[in-house]
Amino acid sequence: MINIQEVHETNKMIEHEKLDVRTITMGISLLDCACDNVDTLCDNIYAKITKHARDLVATGEAIERDFGIPIVNKRITVTPISLVGASACKTSEDFVKIAHTLDRAGKEVGVDLLGGYSALVNKAMTPAEELLIRSLPQALAETDIVCSSVNVGSTKTGIDMNAVELLGHIIKDIAHATADNDSYGCVKFVAFCNAPDDNPFMAGGFHGVTEGDAVINVGVSGPGVVSRALDEAKGRDFEFLCETIKRTAFKITRVGQLVAQEASRRLGVPFGIIDLSLAPTPAQGDSVGEVLEKIGLAQVGAPGTTAALAMLNDQVKKGGIMASSYVGGLSGAFIPVSEDKNMIDAAANGCLTIEKLEAMTCVCSVGLDMIAIPGDTTAATISGIIADEAAIGMVNQKTTAVRVIPVEGKGVGDMAEFGGLMGYAPIIPVNQTSCEAFVTRGGRIPAPIHSFKN
């Protein structure tokens, strides 16, 4: 049983080390909203979201006041809209109507972000899924808080290369549609392999079809806390270092567990999972890059970075799973370049390259995240980047993702400004050698041999 004394133990972490609960996310199933008429469907969606989530924001704010724990975002995830709209939507514009409905419902209840304008095309695209994907440039340009994801593969199914090739063009179109805002629409879109059903973080969160009618998932974040704890480990061996990270991750996760249970009780919605990811912000001292540097790197991106990140990720998970019986989502260390001060600096001076970031994705929580690239990067090159990341996830049986922003009108050395938690990023070079003949072959890359475990 968690008690208030465990929160008192973390007061120092909250007040001085930037510990926060990054998000309380309510997952809502929209499967029972489905019908054959798009206008009726939109009415059903709006009614269900506003009914279930009407007290979400107020409850989060009350928990903040009662326990003194900062809760940065309140969010909603919904069933992948390609499934909900399959019968009603006959055109991409029909799906855009749903996007506007989601945006309006999310704003009505006051949440910061709403995820689930998504499609799961692990093997192939249905007509409805392709329509949703083609609607993304308009949908993301015309809405404010709607986030989208497309899962293009899995360890069990392989990689849908038709979807991968299409997404290269779609990301370019999203960038163009939001060019007046540093192509911000791309910030709200991510391509996945092995996407989890219970992720509370954006832009990739959606309410999986294996979930119940509604659920509360909580994402905690504490890179600043881990960084301060590592001051005690300076000059000590790896055993001491690992024990320090594990103990710290345990305390961080217990705070998340308390918030999740309180939110579940007050809202009358079942508690789902704690996502114990170390999610940075652009603020000084709230950086995963800083943690890696305190482990012993002169700057993140140096040789040894991948090994240090692997160790950090593993110890965070080991500490976290002792603090909660329901750890899920992504859970590990995020490496979003634009959201991490030390990674921004390393990318700006060339120490951290996209090739090094790709290597780091083999051992981090997600993948290539919040990376600004030149606006003239070709669609085929973006598809190649997605294929590479999906292959890493498929072969290694882990979640990987790509959230790159080809900032229209800007090139290497320029800076892209996204604001808030999304931060800012130097535009870094990308290998422009053509891979078009590869990504346009069509069909599917088969699942790896070790996927056959039945």
Side-chain angles (χ1 to χ4, degrees):
M1 182 69 180
I2 296 176
N3 58 62
I4 194 63
Q5 294 304 315
E6 291 181 282
V7 178
H8 291 325
E9 187 182 16
T10 66
N11 275 346
K12 179 183 174 184
M13 294 191 285
I14 292 168
E15 293 174 7
H16 304 293
E17 298 167 0
K18 302 184 185 298
L19 173 65
D20 60 57
V21 170
R22 185 55 49 84
T23 177
I24 294 178
T25 301
M26 178 180 285
I28 302 172
S29 173
L30 300 182
L31 291 175
D32 58 350
C33 296
C35 63
D36 293 333
N37 180 277
V38 69
D39 293 324
T40 303
L41 173 61
C42 288
D43 290 342
N44 293 344
I45 290 171
Y46 184 86
K48 185 159 190 183
I49 291 173
T50 53
K51 175 185 176 183
H52 278 68
R54 64 182 181 272
D55 297 324
L56 176 61
V57 172
T59 299
E61 291 170 347
I63 293 171
E64 286 185 272
R65 290 193 301 269
D66 293 346
F67 295 102
I69 300 170
I71 301 172
V72 178
N73 270 194
K74 294 81 179 175
R75 301 169 177 170
I76 292 170
T77 56
V78 297
T79 309
I81 292 299
S82 66
L83 302 177
V84 179
S87 296
C89 295
K90 306 298 188 257
T91 67
S92 291
E93 287 72 21
D94 287 341
F95 275 109
V96 174
K97 285 185 181 180
I98 299 177
H100 282 287
T101 300
L102 295 173
D103 202 53
R104 187 163 53 92
K107 289 174 179 175
E108 173 64 24
V109 299
V111 294
D112 299 281
L113 295 169
L114 188 152
Y117 193 75
S118 305
L120 310 178
V121 294
N122 307 11
K123 264 190 175 181
M125 295 178 284
T126 65
E129 287 162 343
E130 184 171 347
L131 285 175
L132 181 137
I133 291 171
R134 292 189 182 278
S135 78
L136 286 171
Q138 182 181 355
L140 296 182
E142 295 180 359
T143 60
D144 297 315
I145 64 172
V146 171
C147 294
S148 175
S149 59
V150 174
N151 194 75
V152 298
S154 73
T155 299
K156 294 294 290 183
T157 62
I159 303 169
D160 177 6
M161 288 301 295
N162 292 324
V164 169
E165 194 269 333
L166 175 59
L167 284 180
H169 296 280
I170 293 298
I171 290 170
K172 291 281 289 184
D173 290 344
I174 297 170
H176 178 71
T178 54
D180 59 346
N181 192 21
D182 276 352
S183 299
Y184 184 83
C186 295
V187 169
K188 300 189 293 175
F189 173 77
V190 59
F192 269 119
C193 180
N194 289 324
D197 280 359
D198 52 10
N199 170 22
F201 285 98
M202 299 297 170
F206 61 86
H207 186 70
V209 294
T210 61
E211 301 285 327
D213 195 51
V215 69
I216 290 292
N217 298 321
V218 167
V220 295
S221 174
V225 180
V226 175
S227 180
R228 299 295 87 73
L230 290 184
D231 290 337
E232 301 176 12
K234 188 174 182 179
R236 305 294 295 270
D237 64 14
F238 279 105
E239 181 180 1
F240 185 89
L241 183 72
C242 291
E243 288 299 316
T244 300
I245 296 170
K246 280 194 296 184
R247 288 197 305 270
T248 306
F250 178 88
K251 293 178 181 179
I252 293 169
T253 308
R254 291 296 269 182
V255 172
Q257 178 87 348
L258 173 68
V259 170
Q261 290 181 338
E262 274 298 302
S264 172
R265 182 181 66 81
R266 296 184 188 195
L267 290 165
V269 174
F271 161 51
I273 59 94
I274 299 291
D275 187 318
L276 52 93
S277 295
L278 297 183
T281 71
Q284 188 73 41
D286 197 25
S287 163
V288 171
E290 181 179 87
V291 173
L292 297 174
E293 289 165 8
K294 286 192 175 181
I295 289 173
L297 307 171
Q299 189 168 39
V300 62
T305 296
T306 305
L309 180 60
M311 185 204 67
L312 172 64
N313 223 33
D314 184 56
Q315 301 312 309
V316 166
K317 292 176 188 288
K318 286 175 177 173
I321 60 174
M322 293 300 294
S324 174
S325 298
Y326 296 102
V327 171
L330 298 167
S331 288
F334 287 177
I335 53 171
V337 173
S338 78
E339 300 173 23
D340 188 303
K341 177 66 169 62
N342 291 57
M343 291 192 184
I344 293 168
D345 293 343
N349 67 23
C351 185
L352 188 60
T353 65
I354 197 166
E355 288 79 16
K356 185 61 175 178
L357 283 161
E358 182 180 305
M360 293 165 67
T361 64
C362 297
V363 297
C364 79
S365 244
V366 193
L368 294 173
D369 196 15
M370 289 301 293
I371 299 170
I373 61 175
D376 61 0
T377 303
T378 67
T381 295
I382 294 171
S383 295
I385 292 170
I386 295 171
D388 284 343
E389 276 301 298
I392 290 172
M394 176 184 71
V395 171
N396 291 286
Q397 303 179 72
K398 72 180 293 291
T399 301
T400 51
V402 172
R403 185 163 49 152
V404 294
I405 304 99
V407 184
E408 188 156 312
K410 292 190 175 182
V412 174
D414 292 332
M415 192 69 70
E417 298 283 348
F418 305 123
L421 288 175
M422 304 304 178
Y424 60 98
I427 294 172
I428 62 176
V430 173
N431 188 334
Q432 299 280 9
T433 306
S434 178
C435 62
E436 186 164 2
F438 171 70
V439 300
T440 58
R441 280 183 176 272
R444 175 164 52 97
I445 293 178
I449 186 66
H450 59 259
S451 69
F452 302 106
K453 295 185 176 181
N454 291 337

